[in-house]
Amino acid sequence: MIPIHELLSRIRWDKEFARGEFKIGYYDRLADRIIQVPFTDLVFPKDDHFAFLIWDEDGEVHSIPYHRVREVYKDGRLIWHRKL
């Protein structure tokens, strides 16, 4: 299985592979469930190679470590997953 940081990089930088709609499912410890977010909502800070940022509906920013990513979907089809 490809490491998640490599898959996220490929989605970001490989224009041919990145065609389509991607969703990332990450494990939220407080909600105790997987939260799915559109890949286009993710922000990758230049100085952090282990996490991405997302904003919730209240405008609060959350740093999500790569190890909490559990699923990646492309056009609604599961293309990558990690067990809980």
Side-chain angles (χ1 to χ4, degrees):
M1 172 171 57
I2 184 172
I4 191 59
H5 70 278
E6 289 181 18
L7 179 57
L8 295 176
S9 288
R10 185 166 184 208
I11 296 169
R12 290 177 68 198
W13 304 113
D14 183 340
K15 298 297 182 194
E16 187 64 32
F17 180 74
R19 292 179 190 218
E21 182 181 316
F22 287 87
K23 286 193 175 185
I24 305 300
Y26 70 91
Y27 178 69
D28 184 305
R29 295 180 318 239
L30 297 177
D32 193 30
R33 67 183 179 96
I34 294 176
I35 307 289
Q36 289 187 6
V37 294
F39 187 82
T40 55
D41 288 357
L42 309 183
V43 174
F44 295 90
K46 290 184 181 195
D47 60 342
D48 189 346
H49 303 286
F50 303 101
F52 56 83
L53 303 176
I54 59 166
W55 280 258
D56 65 19
E57 57 275 352
D58 297 325
E60 187 174 335
V61 67
H62 300 274
S63 177
I64 307 299
Y66 290 165
H67 71 266
R68 289 193 16 224
V69 176
R70 299 292 187 248
E71 307 168 336
V72 179
Y73 293 86
K74 180 177 183 178
D75 296 326
R77 194 180 101 238
L78 182 66
I79 63 167
W80 186 94
H81 76 281
R82 177 186 325 185
K83 294 181 182 180
L84 285 176

